[in-house]
Structure formats: C-alpha cells, structure tokens
Amino acid sequence: MFGKIVNRLSEYKLYWLLFALIICFTFITDFNGLYGQDSYEYLRFTNALIEFAKHGIDPGKSYWPVMYQFFGAILSIVFKTEFGLQLVSIISLLLSGVYLEKILKALYKNEAQIARWFVFVFFLFSPYPLRSSITIMSDSLCLFFITASSYYFIKYAEEKRDKIFVAFIVCATAAICTRYVALVVIVIPAIFVMYYFAKRFNFKVYMLAGVGIVLVLMPYILIHKDTPLDFLHHELLQGWSFKNIFMSNFDTADGHASHTFPNIAYCLFNLVHPAFCFAGILFLIVGIKSIRNKSDSSVQWIFVASLLLYALFLAGIPFQNLRFLILSFPFVLILFFPAFSKIYHFLKKAKPMLIIPILILCLVIQSGLFARVFIPFYHDNKTEKKISNEVIKQAPATLYTFSIDAAVRYYGFKGKIVNMWEVKLDTLPITIEKAQVLFNQKQFKDVWMNKNPMLNWEYLKTKYQLIKVEDLPDDWELYSIKNNP
C-alpha cells in the first residue's frame, strides 16, 4: 500500500519540483500575493470566516462566492492566513495541470507521451495562469475545478460510471461556488452529462449527487441564508448587454475605461495573446485544421463551443480584464494540442536533435513573459506597503482616501478610514482634526471624472486648505486638512 502511494507520488515528481520552485520564488521575492483592492478583500473575508469559526462572530456578506476563502480559512489552521490563501492558488494551478494532462491523454491517446511536455511549457508556465497561482485571488482555484470537471465530463461520456457522474457534479458546483461566471464555462458539458445520466437514471446516484451539491453549497448557504439570491445582482449580470460586444470605451460605476480593441476581439485574446501563449497564432492555424480532419472530435468541439460561449459572455460585459480569460484557457490548449503534436512529430522525423532545445527555448520565452506580467504586480505590492507604512508613521486620526484603503488597513493603520468612492463628502460632517488625505490625482482624474472620488477631491480642495505632507511613490500624495484662513 505504502509502495503504491510512493510510486503514485513519484509519477508526478516534476509537479512537486515546480511546487518547490514556486514556493521558493514567493519567499525570495517576498511577494505575499496581495495587490489591489480585491485581494485584500479576499483576505479580509477569510479572516472574518476564521473569527466566525472561532468565536461565532458574524462575518457579514461576501461580494464574491466564498469557496476560495473557505479553503484559505482551513489552511490557516496550519499557516498564516496570507500564505494559506497563496498556497490554495499554487496547489490549484498544479492540480489543474494534472487534470489537463489527463484530459489530453484521454482525448489523444496516441500522443500521451508528449502531453506532459505540452502542459508544462504552455500551461503551467503560461504567464497569466502562473501569475494567478501566487496571488490571493480565486482564479486559480476556479481553474482547477473547471479543469477537473472537464476531465470527469470526458470520462463519464466514455464510461457512464456513477462515481464519475458524482465527481463531475461536485467539481462543477465547486467551480461555480468559487466564481459565479464558471457556470457559463461549464454549462455545455453539464448539459451533456445530465443528458447521459437521464438516459440511465439512478435515483440513489441522483440523491448522492444532491448531497454533494448541498455540502459544496454549505458555506454559501451559511453566509447568505437570508439573501440566497444575491448572486443574481452581480455586476457581470447587471451590466451585460449585446451593445457592449462592439464597444471599447465604457463608463460604469467603476470608472471610465478606454481600450485599444473592442470586446469582440478582447474576448478571444487567450487564443493569441502572449500573456497566455506566445505561439497561439501558429497553434490556432494548425490546430483547427487538425481537429477538422479528425472523425472522432465531437468532445473537442464541445470544448470549442464552451470556449466560444464564454467568449460571447465576456464580450457583453462593460469592461475588459485579461485574467477573466484564464478560466477558459484549458479549452484553448485542448484546441492547440493537435498542432503541438503535429509540429513535434515533424521535428522528430526531420530534426530530432532540435526538439529539446526548442522546448527549452519555449520555456525560457514563457518565463520571460511571466516576468513581464509579474513585475507590475510586484511593484504595486511593494508600493502599497511603502505608502501604508508612511501613513502609519504619520498616524492621522482620520484618513480620506480611495483605492488603497484596504492595503493601508491591512498593514496596520488603526485610525478611521473614509473611502472617497463610497460616500459624498458634501453630504457628511467632515472631521478635520488630525485628518489627512491620501490621493492620486494623476491616476484618478480621467478614470473617475465626474464620479465620487474626483468629486470628493475637488470638494476638499475647494472647501478646505490641503497642505502637502509628502510625495509618495507612483504619484500618490499625502495632505493634511486645515480650515481655510
């Protein structure tokens, strides 16, 4: 028994090596996974769940699903909360790689020996997924559940075994409980699974799957027991519109955004963007031809349909964010693998000595592109810490700020924070005794024109005297508030 476990673990020694390398990377760079408002909110709510478990303190509502925070809270039993959440992301990427490898071996049985090479170079070292694996965000965990459910979809279509059906249902539900939008990614495979199951309906298995769903939903039920339909009010649904498909400029509650490409192009960037796969255009051209020439490609086309449905959904929301494309990236690689296989066999026949050097070169390119997308996150992480430490040193009783308030609170600020996006200062009594303003006018003036952050900034400049205390990194400025003479 022990020998089987050891052999099983040794089979994935490359994954263990990559796990060790990623952990070492986070320690060497001292990157704690925090950047921007969202990651700090994930951390805050995870800590709230921990307090709920320990002392019964109501954690309040979460804007996002709670599965990622739930796993982070579990790992916090052993690790510091920040590292626990980061560890969830790292492990999730590696398990996604394991399941993607299983998918490729199941779909392309004659090419099983090269599947791992493809997964490592073009998935595990893909810049955006790799970056997501060291950040405190739910993308990596959701990616794992989507990849796992996709594998169980393939196996259930082949074998029709009851335990595989239950595994699919549990993983698909967990994906949605990690990111609501995962429903769009997996709905087509789910329809086929339910069709296969209905043809050989088994009440016992049906009830077992129902129990699995309830157990996965339990964290959400506990948090949203009074408002179970909150997810229907999510901004991705509220803002979706066909008119957004051909737009590139958006004006929403989150500010004004102007993009180079319209949504109809952006929604398929994970096919060609170097932040996902620098060889995407080559693989796309060869891959489409290879799949079209296969007679047994119905499952592959189901994944292509899922990719296109999710792309359509992203095209309809009024903003762009490349990390949203991570969730459908496994489907892109399923589409690309025949092209990789064709190129591999061409080289094996024509120039076999070039295969390893080319794979190493691809790995170097992917690593370089990862560094390119990681450095801005690393810079923001360090900048937030520096600015927060300066505010803590100044120790104002009240701080008026925006965008960076969660970071300032996390790094130890004990005073009152007024978020300049959440309120209109001209309708509130303003506290100016030992009060300061932390603001980034250069960064906010266009994005937040005629919205609360800039309206509140102009109000403070007009109504009071702002005395600059210090210039901070990345155009942040700290001011003291005084009455006008």
Side-chain angles (χ1 to χ4, degrees):
M1 180 67 178
F2 179 75
K4 288 183 179 179
I5 294 174
V6 171
N7 290 335
R8 193 72 172 171
L9 292 175
S10 65
E11 180 185 347
Y12 295 100
K13 52 183 175 291
L14 280 179
Y15 289 91
W16 287 105
L17 176 60
L18 182 56
F19 174 75
L21 288 174
I22 294 174
I23 294 293
C24 289
F25 178 81
T26 61
F27 280 109
I28 291 170
T29 58
D30 190 31
F31 182 68
N32 60 9
L34 294 164
Y35 74 98
Q37 291 284 85
D38 291 357
S39 61
Y40 290 99
E41 177 58 22
Y42 276 115
L43 176 60
R44 184 202 69 78
F45 196 79
T46 303
N47 285 324
L49 287 180
I50 294 170
E51 289 301 307
F52 173 68
K54 287 181 177 179
H55 309 294
I57 300 174
D58 185 358
K61 293 181 182 179
S62 173
Y63 177 75
W64 300 291
V66 298
M67 186 62 68
Y68 177 65
Q69 302 92 309
F70 174 74
F71 278 109
I74 291 175
L75 286 185
S76 71
I77 297 172
V78 179
F79 304 102
K80 188 178 178 182
T81 308
E82 296 91 311
F83 183 66
L85 285 165
Q86 211 172 11
L87 202 55
V88 171
S89 295
I90 294 170
I91 294 171
S92 295
L93 177 71
L94 297 174
L95 290 178
S96 298
V98 170
Y99 272 99
L100 180 58
E101 184 180 332
K102 288 177 176 288
I103 289 171
L104 296 177
K105 289 178 178 179
L107 292 177
Y108 309 100
K109 294 178 175 60
N110 295 331
E111 306 296 339
Q113 74 277 8
I114 62 173
R116 182 163 297 181
W117 292 3
F118 180 73
V119 168
F120 261 77
V121 175
F122 295 105
F123 179 68
L124 294 176
F125 275 85
S126 176
Y128 260 53
L130 182 55
R131 186 182 69 178
S132 76
S133 76
I134 56 175
T135 58
I136 295 178
M137 297 288 281
S138 63
D139 302 316
S140 195
L141 180 63
C142 188
L143 179 68
F144 158 62
F145 285 126
I146 287 173
T147 311
S149 61
S150 298
Y151 171 72
Y152 292 125
F153 156 64
I154 294 171
K155 298 304 289 182
Y156 189 68
E158 291 178 352
E159 302 176 14
K160 308 296 190 299
R161 288 196 290 161
D162 294 335
K163 67 178 184 179
I164 297 176
F165 171 77
V166 175
F168 172 85
I169 293 297
V170 169
C171 287
T173 306
I176 298 167
C177 288
T178 306
R179 292 277 310 274
Y180 296 131
V181 74
L183 173 63
V184 183
V185 184
I186 60 178
V187 66
I188 294 178
I191 290 171
F192 278 89
V193 167
M194 296 308 297
Y195 170 74
Y196 298 144
F197 179 74
K199 290 177 67 175
R200 52 191 306 277
F201 182 83
N202 183 309
F203 183 76
K204 181 180 177 180
V205 176
Y206 176 78
M207 293 301 296
L208 185 61
V211 170
I213 291 174
V214 171
L215 289 175
V216 173
L217 286 174
M218 191 58 66
Y220 180 89
I221 294 171
L222 291 175
I223 299 302
H224 295 275
K225 57 182 180 296
D226 297 324
T227 53
L229 299 180
D230 266 3
F231 67 94
L232 294 176
H233 303 292
H234 197 280
E235 63 179 337
L236 294 184
L237 289 177
Q238 297 294 316
W240 200 93
S241 172
F242 278 107
K243 70 178 182 181
N244 294 327
I245 293 176
F246 300 99
M247 294 178 62
S248 58
N249 298 302
F250 304 100
D251 191 24
T252 68
D254 291 323
H256 178 77
S258 180
H259 304 283
T260 304
F261 297 94
N263 273 9
I264 193 172
Y266 142 78
C267 69
L268 291 170
F269 270 3
N270 54 5
L271 289 166
V272 296
H273 200 290
F276 290 93
C277 178
F278 73 92
I281 294 178
L282 173 63
F283 286 159
L284 182 64
I285 294 171
V286 181
I288 289 177
K289 184 178 179 181
S290 298
I291 288 183
R292 191 172 56 195
N293 291 338
K294 288 177 66 69
S295 59
D296 57 345
S297 60
S298 58
V299 173
Q300 290 94 319
W301 282 113
I302 289 172
F303 288 133
V304 170
S306 297
L307 172 67
L308 295 177
L309 178 64
Y310 184 58
L312 175 63
F313 179 80
L314 292 183
I317 60 178
F319 52 86
Q320 296 183 12
N321 191 329
L322 283 177
R323 74 176 181 83
F324 286 3
L325 295 166
I326 291 173
L327 301 188
S328 62
F329 189 53
F331 300 159
V332 171
L333 293 180
I334 292 169
L335 175 67
F336 284 173
F337 184 70
F340 173 80
S341 174
K342 195 169 186 178
I343 294 169
Y344 170 83
H345 287 294
F346 171 79
L347 289 172
K348 187 177 181 180
K349 184 177 181 180
K351 298 285 184 180
M353 73 290 296
L354 291 180
I355 291 176
I356 298 301
I358 288 175
L359 286 173
I360 293 174
L361 176 62
C362 290
L363 200 62
V364 170
I365 293 172
Q366 292 278 74
S367 299
L369 291 170
F370 162 72
R372 171 65 183 84
V373 300
F374 171 72
I375 288 172
F377 276 34
Y378 181 78
H379 174 80
D380 289 348
N381 176 270
K382 300 308 173 188
T383 298
E384 289 167 350
K385 188 172 184 178
K386 288 178 184 177
I387 293 173
S388 299
N389 288 337
E390 183 57 36
V391 172
I392 292 168
K393 186 172 73 175
Q394 293 290 330
T398 303
L399 180 70
Y400 296 90
T401 189
F402 166 66
S403 176
I404 202 172
D405 51 296
V408 173
R409 178 67 73 196
Y410 165 75
Y411 286 109
F413 179 70
K414 303 300 183 184
K416 178 182 178 182
I417 295 179
V418 178
N419 186 305
M420 294 169 66
W421 179 81
E422 294 177 350
V423 300
K424 293 201 69 174
L425 295 181
D426 60 359
T427 65
L428 299 174
I430 302 298
T431 302
I432 65 170
E433 184 178 353
K434 292 191 66 177
Q436 292 184 335
V437 184
L438 176 63
F439 204 73
N440 194 323
Q441 185 174 4
K442 289 184 179 179
Q443 184 182 123
F444 298 151
K445 64 180 180 180
D446 294 327
V447 175
W448 296 99
M449 183 185 300
N450 298 323
K451 296 186 182 296
N452 274 7
M454 286 307 299
L455 293 175
N456 286 329
W457 170 248
E458 295 299 332
Y459 173 77
L460 289 173
K461 287 200 303 181
T462 303
K463 188 73 174 178
Y464 301 96
Q465 184 181 6
L466 301 183
I467 302 172
K468 184 178 287 188
V469 175
E470 190 167 355
D471 287 314
L472 297 168
D474 290 356
D475 300 318
W476 284 92
E477 297 170 319
L478 187 64
Y479 295 86
S480 289
I481 305 177
K482 307 291 182 184
N483 280 315
N484 278 323

